[in-house]
Amino acid sequence: MRKKIVAGNWKMNTTLPEGVKLAKEVNEALAGVNAKCDVIICVPFTHLASVNNVIDANKLGLGAENCADHKSGAYTGEISAPMVASTGAKYVILGHSERRQYYGETAETLRAKVALALENGLTPIFCIGEVLEERENNKHFDVVKAQIEEGLFNLSAEDFGKIILAYEPVWAIGTGKTATDDQAQEMHHFIRSVVEGKYGKEVAENTSILYGGSCKPSNAKALFAKPDVDGGLIGGAALEAESFMGIVTAF
Ligand code: 13P
Protein backbone atom coordinates (compact mmCIF):
# COMPACT_ATOMS: atom_id res chain seq x y z
CA MET A 1 0.00 0.00 0.00
CA ARG A 2 1.35 3.40 -0.93
CA LYS A 3 2.04 5.95 1.78
CA LYS A 4 -0.09 8.98 2.55
CA ILE A 5 2.22 11.97 3.00
CA VAL A 6 1.98 15.63 3.88
CA ALA A 7 5.24 17.47 3.22
CA GLY A 8 6.03 21.12 3.83
CA ASN A 9 8.26 23.09 1.47
CA TRP A 10 9.44 26.17 3.32
CA LYS A 11 11.14 27.57 0.19
CA MET A 12 13.38 30.61 0.96
CA ASN A 13 11.60 31.56 4.17
CA THR A 14 12.58 31.83 7.85
CA THR A 15 15.87 32.72 9.46
CA LEU A 16 17.58 29.95 11.40
CA PRO A 17 16.00 30.85 14.77
CA GLU A 18 12.58 31.23 13.14
CA GLY A 19 12.96 27.90 11.36
CA VAL A 20 14.01 26.03 14.50
CA LYS A 21 11.04 27.55 16.34
CA LEU A 22 8.62 26.48 13.60
CA ALA A 23 10.08 22.96 13.49
CA LYS A 24 9.70 22.65 17.26
CA GLU A 25 6.09 23.82 17.04
CA VAL A 26 5.25 21.26 14.34
CA ASN A 27 7.07 18.55 16.28
CA GLU A 28 5.16 19.35 19.47
CA ALA A 29 1.82 19.54 17.66
CA LEU A 30 2.47 16.13 16.08
CA ALA A 31 3.18 14.58 19.48
CA GLY A 32 -0.41 15.41 20.43
CA VAL A 33 -2.19 13.88 17.44
CA ASN A 34 -2.45 10.47 15.86
CA ALA A 35 -1.42 11.50 12.35
CA LYS A 36 -2.81 9.20 9.64
CA CYS A 37 -0.03 10.11 7.22
CA ASP A 38 3.74 10.54 7.14
CA VAL A 39 4.73 14.13 7.84
CA ILE A 40 7.84 15.75 6.38
CA ILE A 41 9.30 19.25 6.47
CA CYS A 42 11.70 20.37 3.74
CA VAL A 43 13.74 23.31 4.95
CA PRO A 44 16.59 25.57 3.77
CA PHE A 45 20.06 23.96 3.76
CA THR A 46 21.25 26.27 6.55
CA HIS A 47 18.54 24.90 8.87
CA LEU A 48 18.89 21.15 8.30
CA ALA A 49 21.32 20.17 11.07
CA SER A 50 19.70 22.38 13.70
CA VAL A 51 16.18 21.27 12.82
CA ASN A 52 17.31 17.64 12.89
CA ASN A 53 18.36 18.17 16.52
CA VAL A 54 14.94 19.36 17.68
CA ILE A 55 12.56 16.93 15.96
CA ASP A 56 11.52 13.37 16.69
CA ALA A 57 12.55 11.49 13.57
CA ASN A 58 9.92 8.83 14.28
CA LYS A 59 7.15 11.39 13.87
CA LEU A 60 8.56 14.02 11.54
CA GLY A 61 10.74 13.48 8.48
CA LEU A 62 13.30 16.04 7.37
CA GLY A 63 14.24 17.02 3.84
CA ALA A 64 16.18 19.54 1.79
CA GLU A 65 14.70 21.60 -1.04
CA ASN A 66 17.40 20.80 -3.59
CA CYS A 67 20.83 19.22 -3.99
CA ALA A 68 23.68 19.59 -6.46
CA ASP A 69 24.09 17.60 -9.66
CA HIS A 70 27.69 16.72 -8.69
CA LYS A 71 29.02 14.70 -5.81
CA SER A 72 31.82 17.04 -4.68
CA GLY A 73 34.48 19.37 -6.00
CA ALA A 74 34.92 22.87 -7.36
CA TYR A 75 31.27 23.99 -7.45
CA THR A 76 31.33 27.07 -5.22
CA GLY A 77 28.14 27.56 -3.27
CA GLU A 78 26.56 24.22 -4.13
CA ILE A 79 25.34 21.64 -1.59
CA SER A 80 25.77 17.98 -2.46
CA ALA A 81 23.54 15.00 -1.73
CA PRO A 82 26.15 13.50 0.66
CA MET A 83 26.22 16.83 2.55
CA VAL A 84 22.43 16.83 2.84
CA ALA A 85 22.41 13.20 4.01
CA SER A 86 25.09 13.95 6.61
CA THR A 87 22.74 16.39 8.38
CA GLY A 88 20.26 13.60 9.11
CA ALA A 89 17.85 14.62 6.34
CA LYS A 90 16.12 11.73 4.57
CA TYR A 91 14.32 13.51 1.71
CA VAL A 92 15.08 16.02 -1.00
CA ILE A 93 12.72 17.98 -3.23
CA LEU A 94 13.95 17.84 -6.84
CA GLY A 95 12.67 19.52 -9.98
CA HIS A 96 10.47 22.08 -8.29
CA SER A 97 9.00 24.40 -10.93
CA GLU A 98 10.74 27.38 -9.29
CA ARG A 99 14.09 25.68 -9.86
CA ARG A 100 13.21 24.67 -13.41
CA GLN A 101 11.99 28.20 -14.16
CA TYR A 102 14.46 30.48 -12.30
CA TYR A 103 17.57 28.31 -12.20
CA GLY A 104 17.34 26.59 -15.55
CA GLU A 105 17.12 23.02 -14.29
CA THR A 106 16.83 20.59 -17.17
CA ALA A 107 15.89 16.94 -17.36
CA GLU A 108 19.60 16.14 -17.67
CA THR A 109 20.59 17.94 -14.44
CA LEU A 110 17.59 16.40 -12.71
CA ARG A 111 18.60 12.87 -13.72
CA ALA A 112 22.02 13.51 -12.16
CA LYS A 113 20.44 14.91 -8.98
CA VAL A 114 18.02 11.99 -8.65
CA ALA A 115 20.87 9.48 -9.08
CA LEU A 116 23.01 11.21 -6.44
CA ALA A 117 20.09 11.51 -4.03
CA LEU A 118 19.33 7.79 -4.33
CA GLU A 119 23.02 6.82 -4.01
CA ASN A 120 23.11 8.73 -0.75
CA GLY A 121 19.97 7.22 0.69
CA LEU A 122 17.78 10.29 0.17
CA THR A 123 14.21 9.91 -1.05
CA PRO A 124 13.52 12.33 -3.91
CA ILE A 125 10.23 14.22 -3.88
CA PHE A 126 10.14 14.80 -7.64
CA CYS A 127 7.97 17.68 -8.85
CA ILE A 128 6.14 17.91 -12.16
CA GLY A 129 3.47 20.25 -13.45
CA GLU A 130 2.36 22.45 -16.32
CA VAL A 131 2.15 26.24 -16.66
CA LEU A 132 -1.18 27.94 -17.32
CA GLU A 133 -0.60 28.41 -21.04
CA GLU A 134 0.07 24.69 -21.46
CA ARG A 135 -3.20 23.83 -19.70
CA GLU A 136 -5.11 26.38 -21.76
CA ASN A 137 -3.70 24.81 -24.92
CA ASN A 138 -4.60 21.34 -23.67
CA LYS A 139 -0.92 20.35 -23.50
CA HIS A 140 -0.85 19.61 -19.77
CA PHE A 141 -0.93 15.82 -20.07
CA ASP A 142 1.87 15.78 -22.67
CA VAL A 143 4.01 18.16 -20.61
CA VAL A 144 3.68 16.19 -17.39
CA LYS A 145 4.27 12.87 -19.17
CA ALA A 146 7.45 14.23 -20.76
CA GLN A 147 8.72 15.54 -17.41
CA ILE A 148 8.29 12.09 -15.86
CA GLU A 149 9.77 10.21 -18.82
CA GLU A 150 12.77 12.51 -19.23
CA GLY A 151 13.52 12.95 -15.54
CA LEU A 152 12.88 9.48 -14.16
CA PHE A 153 12.36 6.73 -16.72
CA ASN A 154 16.07 5.95 -16.87
CA LEU A 155 15.65 4.43 -13.38
CA SER A 156 15.31 0.73 -12.66
CA ALA A 157 11.92 -0.34 -11.28
CA GLU A 158 13.58 -0.81 -7.89
CA ASP A 159 14.90 2.76 -7.84
CA PHE A 160 11.70 4.24 -9.25
CA GLY A 161 9.91 2.58 -6.34
CA LYS A 162 11.82 4.91 -3.99
CA ILE A 163 10.51 8.11 -5.64
CA ILE A 164 7.68 10.28 -4.30
CA LEU A 165 5.96 12.28 -7.06
CA ALA A 166 4.43 15.72 -6.53
CA TYR A 167 2.05 17.16 -9.11
CA GLU A 168 2.19 20.93 -8.81
CA PRO A 169 0.36 22.87 -11.52
CA VAL A 170 2.47 26.02 -11.77
CA TRP A 171 -0.62 28.22 -12.11
CA ALA A 172 -1.76 27.07 -8.66
CA ILE A 173 1.50 27.71 -6.79
CA GLY A 174 1.33 30.67 -4.44
CA THR A 175 -1.61 32.10 -6.37
CA GLY A 176 -4.46 31.05 -4.10
CA LYS A 177 -5.91 29.29 -7.16
CA THR A 178 -6.10 25.58 -6.27
CA ALA A 179 -6.70 22.91 -8.85
CA THR A 180 -10.16 21.52 -8.15
CA ASP A 181 -10.17 18.10 -6.57
CA ASP A 182 -11.46 16.71 -9.87
CA GLN A 183 -8.65 18.36 -11.84
CA ALA A 184 -6.11 16.95 -9.37
CA GLN A 185 -7.65 13.47 -9.52
CA GLU A 186 -7.73 13.52 -13.32
CA MET A 187 -4.02 14.35 -13.54
CA HIS A 188 -2.95 12.03 -10.71
CA HIS A 189 -4.82 9.16 -12.37
CA PHE A 190 -3.07 9.98 -15.65
CA ILE A 191 0.34 10.10 -13.91
CA ARG A 192 -0.29 6.69 -12.36
CA SER A 193 -1.19 5.29 -15.78
CA VAL A 194 2.07 6.67 -17.23
CA VAL A 195 4.01 4.98 -14.42
CA GLU A 196 2.08 1.75 -15.00
CA GLY A 197 2.91 1.83 -18.70
CA LYS A 198 6.62 1.81 -17.90
CA TYR A 199 6.96 -0.12 -14.62
CA GLY A 200 3.73 -2.11 -14.32
CA LYS A 201 0.71 -2.05 -12.06
CA GLU A 202 2.38 -2.94 -8.77
CA VAL A 203 4.94 -0.12 -8.94
CA ALA A 204 2.25 2.34 -10.08
CA GLU A 205 -0.10 1.37 -7.26
CA ASN A 206 2.71 1.79 -4.72
CA THR A 207 3.81 5.25 -5.92
CA SER A 208 2.74 8.14 -3.69
CA ILE A 209 1.58 11.12 -5.75
CA LEU A 210 1.22 14.37 -3.79
CA TYR A 211 -0.69 17.45 -4.90
CA GLY A 212 0.86 20.92 -4.48
CA GLY A 213 -0.45 24.39 -5.21
CA SER A 214 -2.39 26.57 -2.76
CA CYS A 215 -3.30 23.56 -0.62
CA LYS A 216 -4.82 24.77 2.66
CA PRO A 217 -6.73 23.32 5.62
CA SER A 218 -9.96 24.39 3.88
CA ASN A 219 -9.39 22.42 0.65
CA ALA A 220 -7.10 19.58 1.81
CA LYS A 221 -9.89 17.23 2.86
CA ALA A 222 -11.60 17.25 -0.53
CA LEU A 223 -8.29 16.85 -2.38
CA PHE A 224 -7.09 13.99 -0.14
CA ALA A 225 -10.43 12.22 -0.50
CA LYS A 226 -9.65 11.55 -4.17
CA PRO A 227 -8.37 8.02 -4.78
CA ASP A 228 -5.16 8.98 -6.59
CA VAL A 229 -4.23 11.97 -4.40
CA ASP A 230 -1.93 10.58 -1.74
CA GLY A 231 -1.22 13.79 0.12
CA GLY A 232 0.19 17.25 -0.39
CA LEU A 233 3.34 19.29 -0.89
CA ILE A 234 2.60 22.49 0.97
CA GLY A 235 4.22 25.91 0.50
CA GLY A 236 2.68 28.95 2.18
CA ALA A 237 0.48 27.01 4.58
CA ALA A 238 3.53 25.11 5.89
CA LEU A 239 5.00 28.30 7.34
CA GLU A 240 2.70 28.23 10.35
CA ALA A 241 2.34 25.17 12.55
CA GLU A 242 -1.41 25.65 12.91
CA SER A 243 -2.23 25.74 9.20
CA PHE A 244 0.25 22.93 8.43
CA MET A 245 -1.33 20.77 11.11
CA GLY A 246 -4.76 21.64 9.72
CA ILE A 247 -3.65 19.94 6.49
CA VAL A 248 -1.96 16.98 8.25
CA THR A 249 -5.18 16.26 10.15
CA ALA A 250 -7.26 16.44 6.95
CA PHE A 251 -6.41 12.73 6.56
P1 13P B 1 1.89 27.01 -2.20
O1 13P B 1 1.29 26.00 -1.26
O2 13P B 1 2.40 28.24 -1.49
O3 13P B 1 1.01 27.32 -3.35
O4 13P B 1 3.21 26.32 -2.81
C1 13P B 1 3.13 25.05 -3.31
C2 13P B 1 4.51 24.57 -3.60
O5 13P B 1 5.17 25.06 -4.50
C3 13P B 1 5.07 23.50 -2.77
O6 13P B 1 6.24 22.99 -3.30
Side-chain angles (χ1 to χ4, degrees), residues 9 11 96 98 168 172-174 212-215 233-236:
N9 173 11
K11 307 193 179 182
H96 194 281
E98 288 150 17
E168 301 205 306
I173 296 178
S214 299
C215 186
L233 182 56
I234 319 300

PDB file of all heavy atoms in Angstrom, residues 9 11 96 98 168 172-174 212-215 233-236, ligand 1:
ATOM      1  N   ASN A   9       7.125  22.512   2.197  1.00  0.00           N
ATOM      2  CA  ASN A   9       8.258  23.094   1.469  1.00  0.00           C
ATOM      3  C   ASN A   9       8.354  24.544   1.914  1.00  0.00           C
ATOM      4  O   ASN A   9       7.537  25.365   1.503  1.00  0.00           O
ATOM      5  CB  ASN A   9       8.016  22.995  -0.044  1.00  0.00           C
ATOM      6  CG  ASN A   9       9.066  23.737  -0.852  1.00  0.00           C
ATOM      7  OD1 ASN A   9      10.091  24.166  -0.315  1.00  0.00           O
ATOM      8  ND2 ASN A   9       8.818  23.895  -2.149  1.00  0.00           N
ATOM      9  N   LYS A  11      10.534  26.691   1.208  1.00  0.00           N
ATOM     10  CA  LYS A  11      11.140  27.574   0.195  1.00  0.00           C
ATOM     11  C   LYS A  11      12.179  28.493   0.858  1.00  0.00           C
ATOM     12  O   LYS A  11      12.816  28.075   1.824  1.00  0.00           O
ATOM     13  CB  LYS A  11      10.046  28.357  -0.547  1.00  0.00           C
ATOM     14  CG  LYS A  11       8.966  27.423  -1.104  1.00  0.00           C
ATOM     15  CD  LYS A  11       8.042  28.065  -2.095  1.00  0.00           C
ATOM     16  CE  LYS A  11       7.037  27.035  -2.590  1.00  0.00           C
ATOM     17  NZ  LYS A  11       6.124  27.572  -3.610  1.00  0.00           N
ATOM     18  N   HIS A  96      11.560  21.130  -8.555  1.00  0.00           N
ATOM     19  CA  HIS A  96      10.469  22.084  -8.288  1.00  0.00           C
ATOM     20  C   HIS A  96      10.380  23.078  -9.444  1.00  0.00           C
ATOM     21  O   HIS A  96      11.398  23.476 -10.007  1.00  0.00           O
ATOM     22  CB  HIS A  96      10.714  22.815  -6.961  1.00  0.00           C
ATOM     23  CG  HIS A  96       9.500  23.540  -6.485  1.00  0.00           C
ATOM     24  ND1 HIS A  96       9.129  24.752  -7.006  1.00  0.00           N
ATOM     25  CD2 HIS A  96       8.553  23.213  -5.575  1.00  0.00           C
ATOM     26  CE1 HIS A  96       7.994  25.136  -6.426  1.00  0.00           C
ATOM     27  NE2 HIS A  96       7.624  24.226  -5.551  1.00  0.00           N
ATOM     28  N   GLU A  98       9.969  26.141  -9.495  1.00  0.00           N
ATOM     29  CA  GLU A  98      10.738  27.380  -9.294  1.00  0.00           C
ATOM     30  C   GLU A  98      12.200  27.165  -9.670  1.00  0.00           C
ATOM     31  O   GLU A  98      12.866  28.087 -10.156  1.00  0.00           O
ATOM     32  CB  GLU A  98      10.590  27.840  -7.835  1.00  0.00           C
ATOM     33  CG  GLU A  98       9.184  28.395  -7.591  1.00  0.00           C
ATOM     34  CD  GLU A  98       8.667  28.219  -6.169  1.00  0.00           C
ATOM     35  OE1 GLU A  98       9.459  27.961  -5.249  1.00  0.00           O
ATOM     36  OE2 GLU A  98       7.425  28.339  -5.990  1.00  0.00           O
ATOM     37  N   GLU A 168       2.417  19.542  -9.206  1.00  0.00           N
ATOM     38  CA  GLU A 168       2.192  20.929  -8.814  1.00  0.00           C
ATOM     39  C   GLU A 168       1.923  21.772 -10.058  1.00  0.00           C
ATOM     40  O   GLU A 168       2.870  22.202 -10.743  1.00  0.00           O
ATOM     41  CB  GLU A 168       3.432  21.476  -8.090  1.00  0.00           C
ATOM     42  CG  GLU A 168       3.805  20.701  -6.852  1.00  0.00           C
ATOM     43  CD  GLU A 168       4.597  21.553  -5.869  1.00  0.00           C
ATOM     44  OE1 GLU A 168       5.617  22.138  -6.264  1.00  0.00           O
ATOM     45  OE2 GLU A 168       4.158  21.668  -4.728  1.00  0.00           O
ATOM     46  N   ALA A 172      -1.119  27.161  -9.981  1.00  0.00           N
ATOM     47  CA  ALA A 172      -1.759  27.071  -8.660  1.00  0.00           C
ATOM     48  C   ALA A 172      -0.784  27.358  -7.518  1.00  0.00           C
ATOM     49  O   ALA A 172      -1.189  27.408  -6.367  1.00  0.00           O
ATOM     50  CB  ALA A 172      -2.368  25.685  -8.470  1.00  0.00           C
ATOM     51  N   ILE A 173       0.504  27.548  -7.851  1.00  0.00           N
ATOM     52  CA  ILE A 173       1.504  27.714  -6.791  1.00  0.00           C
ATOM     53  C   ILE A 173       1.546  29.152  -6.311  1.00  0.00           C
ATOM     54  O   ILE A 173       1.827  30.069  -7.090  1.00  0.00           O
ATOM     55  CB  ILE A 173       2.905  27.281  -7.281  1.00  0.00           C
ATOM     56  CG1 ILE A 173       2.910  25.783  -7.598  1.00  0.00           C
ATOM     57  CG2 ILE A 173       3.967  27.610  -6.243  1.00  0.00           C
ATOM     58  CD1 ILE A 173       4.223  25.270  -8.138  1.00  0.00           C
ATOM     59  N   GLY A 174       1.242  29.353  -5.050  1.00  0.00           N
ATOM     60  CA  GLY A 174       1.331  30.671  -4.437  1.00  0.00           C
ATOM     61  C   GLY A 174       0.329  31.676  -4.986  1.00  0.00           C
ATOM     62  O   GLY A 174       0.444  32.871  -4.745  1.00  0.00           O
ATOM     63  N   GLY A 212       0.357  19.655  -5.030  1.00  0.00           N
ATOM     64  CA  GLY A 212       0.858  20.917  -4.479  1.00  0.00           C
ATOM     65  C   GLY A 212       0.349  22.099  -5.267  1.00  0.00           C
ATOM     66  O   GLY A 212       0.238  22.050  -6.497  1.00  0.00           O
ATOM     67  N   GLY A 213       0.032  23.166  -4.566  1.00  0.00           N
ATOM     68  CA  GLY A 213      -0.447  24.394  -5.208  1.00  0.00           C
ATOM     69  C   GLY A 213      -1.629  24.951  -4.455  1.00  0.00           C
ATOM     70  O   GLY A 213      -2.761  24.503  -4.633  1.00  0.00           O
ATOM     71  N   SER A 214      -1.340  25.917  -3.551  1.00  0.00           N
ATOM     72  CA  SER A 214      -2.391  26.569  -2.755  1.00  0.00           C
ATOM     73  C   SER A 214      -3.241  25.575  -1.964  1.00  0.00           C
ATOM     74  O   SER A 214      -4.440  25.781  -1.795  1.00  0.00           O
ATOM     75  CB  SER A 214      -3.270  27.465  -3.640  1.00  0.00           C
ATOM     76  OG  SER A 214      -2.478  28.483  -4.231  1.00  0.00           O
ATOM     77  N   CYS A 215      -2.604  24.508  -1.495  1.00  0.00           N
ATOM     78  CA  CYS A 215      -3.303  23.561  -0.625  1.00  0.00           C
ATOM     79  C   CYS A 215      -3.373  24.168   0.779  1.00  0.00           C
ATOM     80  O   CYS A 215      -2.375  24.671   1.284  1.00  0.00           O
ATOM     81  CB  CYS A 215      -2.552  22.232  -0.616  1.00  0.00           C
ATOM     82  SG  CYS A 215      -3.418  20.944   0.283  1.00  0.00           S
ATOM     83  N   LEU A 233       2.072  18.571  -1.071  1.00  0.00           N
ATOM     84  CA  LEU A 233       3.339  19.293  -0.885  1.00  0.00           C
ATOM     85  C   LEU A 233       2.929  20.751  -0.685  1.00  0.00           C
ATOM     86  O   LEU A 233       2.357  21.376  -1.579  1.00  0.00           O
ATOM     87  CB  LEU A 233       4.249  19.117  -2.108  1.00  0.00           C
ATOM     88  CG  LEU A 233       5.629  19.778  -2.027  1.00  0.00           C
ATOM     89  CD1 LEU A 233       6.412  19.307  -0.809  1.00  0.00           C
ATOM     90  CD2 LEU A 233       6.449  19.471  -3.293  1.00  0.00           C
ATOM     91  N   ILE A 234       3.226  21.265   0.503  1.00  0.00           N
ATOM     92  CA  ILE A 234       2.604  22.490   0.970  1.00  0.00           C
ATOM     93  C   ILE A 234       3.620  23.620   1.062  1.00  0.00           C
ATOM     94  O   ILE A 234       4.646  23.470   1.744  1.00  0.00           O
ATOM     95  CB  ILE A 234       2.000  22.268   2.392  1.00  0.00           C
ATOM     96  CG1 ILE A 234       1.298  20.897   2.508  1.00  0.00           C
ATOM     97  CG2 ILE A 234       1.083  23.418   2.772  1.00  0.00           C
ATOM     98  CD1 ILE A 234       0.143  20.682   1.560  1.00  0.00           C
ATOM     99  N   GLY A 235       3.336  24.736   0.418  1.00  0.00           N
ATOM    100  CA  GLY A 235       4.224  25.906   0.497  1.00  0.00           C
ATOM    101  C   GLY A 235       3.772  26.840   1.601  1.00  0.00           C
ATOM    102  O   GLY A 235       4.045  26.625   2.786  1.00  0.00           O
ATOM    103  N   GLY A 236       3.068  27.891   1.238  1.00  0.00           N
ATOM    104  CA  GLY A 236       2.685  28.948   2.175  1.00  0.00           C
ATOM    105  C   GLY A 236       2.073  28.455   3.482  1.00  0.00           C
ATOM    106  O   GLY A 236       2.439  28.920   4.566  1.00  0.00           O
TER     107      GLY A 236
HETATM  108  P1  13P B   1       1.888  27.012  -2.200  1.00  0.00           P
HETATM  109  O1  13P B   1       1.292  26.003  -1.258  1.00  0.00           O
HETATM  110  O2  13P B   1       2.403  28.237  -1.490  1.00  0.00           O
HETATM  111  O3  13P B   1       1.006  27.316  -3.354  1.00  0.00           O
HETATM  112  O4  13P B   1       3.207  26.319  -2.811  1.00  0.00           O
HETATM  113  C1  13P B   1       3.131  25.049  -3.312  1.00  0.00           C
HETATM  114  C2  13P B   1       4.511  24.568  -3.602  1.00  0.00           C
HETATM  115  O5  13P B   1       5.172  25.062  -4.496  1.00  0.00           O
HETATM  116  C3  13P B   1       5.067  23.497  -2.767  1.00  0.00           C
HETATM  117  O6  13P B   1       6.244  22.989  -3.303  1.00  0.00           O
END
